[in-house]
Structure formats: structure tokens, C-alpha cells
Amino acid sequence: MRSTLRKRTLRTAAVALATGALTLSLASCGGDDGGERDTGGGGGGGKKASVSLPKLDGQTLEVAAVWTGPEQKNFTKVLDEFEKRTGATVNFVPTGNNTSTFLGTKIEGGKPPDVAFLPQVGVLHQFADKGWLKPLGPEAQAQLDKNFSKGWKDLGAWKGKQYGAYVKAANKSLVWYNTQAFEDAGITDTPKTWDDFVKTARTLSDAGTPPVSVGGGDGWVLTDWFENVYLSQAGPEKYDQLAQHEIKWTDPSVKQALETLAELWGNDQLVAGGAKKALQTDFPKSVVQTFSGDTPAGMVYEGDFAAANINADTKAKVGTDAKVFPFPAVGTDSPVVSGGDVAVALKDGKGAQALLTFLASTDAAEIWAAQGGVISPNKEMDQGSYKDEVTRGIAKALLAAGDDFRFDMSDQAPAAFGGTQGVGEWKDLQDFLRNPKDVAGAQRKLEADAAKAYGKG
């Protein structure tokens, strides 16, 4: 399967996310008649509900997504409200990192969940081509049309049919930093360029602070590192070409990006615990060890969703102890890479469509946002629902970017290359973190795996 997703230019997003809106945010741092059931509650604050839902008493639904820990707990609040309004029971099932494999096995076994969240656009296309997805019904489509811009709607569509709603988004171009560590090291300005970023890491190291926490145990974290460096350095056009495998991973632009990453990954003095420990560190731990423990790290790269782990697993306060700056510019501009999870129906039925309708509503978005560690592309929701000013600023900037953003490259790829633990790009970049000197070898392996997954080899 070959993804044909085309995204738009970065211009508006770069301005909104990497400078103005983000900088400003950091500076401030139905009844019982058997018909429709339309109870109050809105976003959980006593507002009137914005969407009508059917009675589903006695029905049990299953929802599958990759989230665990704080992210799962936060999403459960949304499901609790849906249960309250409809009378249904909703069970959450974690998929593990191999979402497409988990769901494919369930579908082929005749026991798919009613609704699933897909973290990769490529998987949505693959599942739709196999006939595994059910198109959105009229009620869900109405919420989507009302609350989302064309760019986000297009991401959930394939071959003229609307299959999903991107109700959870991510800005994956952020670096979180420990304000106390910066203060102790005498760092007063956050880095704007890659060179400044490496110098800041050296300053932290000289001050006795582990500079950069890397969650290399999760291969997707490493793909996000690569994508930000590559987008800023090679530019949007090359990014789109590589995302579609229209240029090879042996291209000189890939070499340059890997060599840039090696400046950091190849220096154990700059990576918390060195590369060996980084490869044993999953994403949640990479965040936690930046804001807790006897010797917390100074910085950790990842998206806005890191706030969920900061809030749940550390005593640090977002906006005070934990702040963010845009991923440093490797080329002319800072990159803006967006990600997200698309809700799709794998079963026919009133229940699955009702849940999709609710998820696409402002009510669900506001409940979810109030938990922290999540942003929504829902443009009609109350932005005051966000838990803190930092997250609110990131969310506003995402909306200000409109349809001008670049979507996560690995999420556009076939799952065998860009979305499966232990194989493809995830493993190849873990191998590169283990041996950053072998740039040519990493390129050859990436190209071989990409060619096979895209059906060219």
C-alpha cells in the first residue's frame, strides 16, 4: 500500500507555532422516552450539551487505542461522559505499540472493537482498502463538518469516503526543559538553532546535569527526532518526497540529517545515560527522568502530550518547573511536525456511530482538554478548557496554522515501515542510535526496508 497523502506548506504553521503564539503562551506561563438522550453537561462544566445522542442502555462497546497510563486515564473521562449520556458501557482495550497488527488480528478473528484510534494515516488507508472500516454516518459527519477544518477532515478520508475523525492532535516540534536545571547551569536563553541546542546541552553537561533525555526504547520517538531535523534542514518539498518514497533513503539529504543527529546521539556526554541507557528508556520514562529524581535531565524532546506524564508522574508544574521551546532550527526555519489519532468505526451499528459523533463534538473535546496532556484540532471548542496556559497556547497556535502543516512522516508510511515496533524505520533508527558513526549503513537499511514496505523491492 502506498500512501498518497499530500500536505500543505509550512509557512503559516512555522510562524504561528514556532514563534508568535507559542512564545506568547510561554511568556504568560435525551429523555426517557426511548428517543434521543440530550443531557446537560457540555464539557463537564454544567453547560448545555452541544450534541444529541441516542439511548444505548444495555449495549456494551469496545474502544481500542495505543494509550496507557495517564493518557488512558484521561481519555476514560470522555468515555465516562458518553456512558452517562447514553446508558452504554464502554470498555477500553490498549493495543500496544503494534496497533495495526493488534487490530488486524482482532478483525480477521471476527472480533474487532467497535471503535479504534489509528495513530498512522497509512494504516487508515490500508484498512479502508481492505474493507475493514465503516464510513461515518450523517450525525458524526455533521459534527465533523461543524467543528473541523478541511485539512483535518481530509486526513480522515480516503478515496472519496470519510472514515475517521482526527479528534486528538499533537504538535511534535517541542522541547521540554527543566527550568531549575537551566537556572543552575546559568542558561538564560532557550536555544533557537541546532548549534545553540548542542551548545546548551554541553553547558548542562559541564554543570553536572544529564543534558538530553532520549526515549530510544520507543522507536517512534526516534522517527520524530529525524523528521524534525529533516524537515528543517531539507525543506518541505523533500519531506513530501521522502514521505511518499519518491526519493530514496540513500539520498544525500537523508545523509545530512543523520549526520546532524549523530552530533547529539553520538556523544554520550550529551545523552542522559548515554546511547545504551537511552535504548532502554521508553517515552514515559524519558519525560519522568527530566522532571524528577536525584539528577533530573535538563531537556527532553517530544510533543505536547508529554504534559500528561509530567502532570501524572512528577511533582513538576507545567508552565513553572516544566516549560517548552520550539524544536531548534536546523535550516532556516524551525520545523512544525504534527501528528494525531483518528477515530474510526470497525463495526456497523448505532453504538459505534454514536461514539464517533460524541468524539467529534465540542463536548468531548472540552472534557478531554481539561485533563491535560492533549490538544484538539476541534476549532469550535472552548479554549478555556485547557488545563494550563502552555497547552492552551500550543492548541491556539495549531488552530492558527489552519490547514498549513506537515503530518508525521512515519505515520504516512505503510505500517510495516513506519509504524511497527522492532522492524522498519523504528528499528533502523534504534540501530543508528546504537552506532551513529555508520550513516551509510543506516541509509542502506532504511532504503531496503522502505522499498519492501512500499512494494518496490
Side-chain angles (χ1 to χ4, degrees):
M1 183 280 298
R2 177 170 173 169
S3 167
T4 57
L5 178 68
R6 293 286 188 180
K7 294 317 299 169
R8 297 158 177 82
T9 64
L10 266 171
R11 292 189 302 272
T12 306
V15 172
L17 279 168
T19 55
L22 179 57
T23 302
L24 287 171
S25 92
L26 298 182
S28 67
C29 315
D32 296 321
D33 59 355
E36 297 291 312
R37 176 174 293 175
D38 186 4
T39 61
K47 296 193 301 182
K48 179 177 174 58
S50 69
V51 60
S52 294
L53 300 172
K55 286 186 63 174
L56 301 171
D57 296 288
Q59 292 193 33
T60 298
L61 305 177
E62 187 173 270
V63 179
V66 70
W67 312 310
T68 59
E71 286 189 296
Q72 178 183 337
K73 182 179 179 181
N74 291 346
F75 177 60
T76 299
K77 299 291 186 181
V78 180
L79 299 182
D80 288 346
E81 181 67 16
F82 179 78
E83 289 181 330
K84 176 183 174 183
R85 296 193 191 188
T86 64
T89 298
V90 186
N91 296 324
F92 180 88
V93 179
T95 65
N97 279 333
N98 294 341
T99 301
S100 62
T101 301
F102 175 90
L103 293 174
T105 300
K106 297 277 282 187
I107 294 166
E108 290 175 341
K111 296 182 178 180
D114 296 88
V115 170
F117 281 84
L118 308 180
Q120 287 100 20
V121 175
V123 174
L124 182 145
H125 297 172
Q126 183 180 4
F127 280 19
D129 284 340
K130 290 185 176 182
W132 289 352
L133 304 184
K134 311 302 179 184
L136 261 61
E139 293 83 7
Q141 184 70 54
Q143 290 298 312
L144 194 68
D145 292 340
K146 174 185 175 184
N147 298 324
F148 295 83
S149 70
K150 183 178 184 298
W152 287 101
K153 288 195 294 182
D154 287 349
L155 282 171
W158 183 236
K159 295 182 178 179
K161 291 184 179 181
Q162 189 74 47
Y163 289 104
Y166 267 89
V167 297
K168 182 178 184 289
N171 171 9
K172 290 191 170 188
S173 297
L174 301 174
V175 178
W176 295 82
Y177 68 100
N178 184 317
T179 56
Q180 188 63 54
F182 270 47
E183 182 180 333
D184 292 345
I187 301 169
T188 57
D189 297 319
T190 55
K192 304 296 189 297
T193 69
W194 181 261
D195 287 343
D196 290 342
F197 181 69
V198 174
K199 289 177 183 177
T200 299
R202 292 195 183 111
T203 300
L204 288 165
S205 180
D206 291 343
T209 295
V212 184
S213 178
V214 178
D218 285 325
W220 61 266
V221 173
L222 304 184
T223 70
D224 288 351
W225 271 99
F226 172 83
E227 289 157 9
N228 277 274
V229 169
Y230 189 82
L231 178 57
S232 181
Q233 194 171 58
E237 185 176 349
K238 283 278 191 181
Y239 185 95
D240 288 342
Q241 291 172 347
L242 189 61
Q244 307 307 318
H245 201 221
E246 293 172 355
I247 58 174
K248 295 184 177 182
W249 284 80
T250 48
D251 189 85
S253 61
V254 177
K255 177 184 178 183
Q256 188 179 20
L258 291 176
E259 288 176 342
T260 298
L261 282 171
E263 294 175 17
L264 181 74
W265 292 1
N267 188 337
D268 279 354
Q269 297 302 311
L270 304 184
V271 175
K276 184 176 181 180
K277 183 177 179 182
L279 286 164
Q280 299 170 348
T281 303
D282 61 14
F283 161 67
K285 185 178 179 181
S286 74
V287 177
V288 171
Q289 69 183 19
T290 307
F291 300 103
S292 64
D294 295 333
T295 54
M299 300 181 285
V300 60
Y301 157 69
E302 250 314 333
D304 54 89
F305 44 84
N309 300 89
I310 297 171
N311 289 332
D313 300 326
T314 78
K315 295 181 180 179
K317 301 298 181 184
V318 172
T320 304
D321 309 305
K323 293 186 178 181
V324 297
F325 57 86
F327 195 95
V330 188
T332 304
D333 299 314
S334 288
V336 182
V337 177
S338 180
D341 297 270
V342 60
V344 297
L346 301 178
K347 281 185 179 179
D348 290 314
K350 195 175 183 179
Q353 290 296 331
L355 182 53
L356 288 178
T357 300
F358 182 62
L359 291 171
S361 72
T362 56
D363 295 355
E366 290 163 8
I367 294 168
W368 209 348
Q371 311 311 312
V374 65
I375 60 174
S376 173
N378 189 314
K379 61 185 176 65
E380 299 299 324
M381 67 172 283
D382 179 2
Q383 298 295 305
S385 302
Y386 286 103
K387 190 173 184 177
D388 57 78
E389 285 295 328
V390 170
T391 307
R392 188 175 300 118
I394 294 169
K396 287 181 178 179
L398 181 71
L399 294 179
D403 293 339
D404 292 335
F405 55 85
R406 277 303 188 282
F407 202 80
D408 184 298
M409 184 190 295
S410 62
D411 288 351
Q412 297 183 49
F417 180 65
T420 304
Q421 185 174 352
V423 300
E425 188 182 359
W426 290 20
K427 182 179 186 300
D428 296 341
L429 289 180
Q430 287 177 321
D431 290 343
F432 180 65
L433 173 59
R434 189 174 290 109
N435 182 19
K437 294 181 180 180
D438 189 13
V439 172
Q443 285 187 270
R444 287 193 298 269
K445 192 66 171 67
L446 284 161
E447 174 55 28
D449 288 340
K452 182 178 179 181
Y454 281 85
K456 293 183 178 179

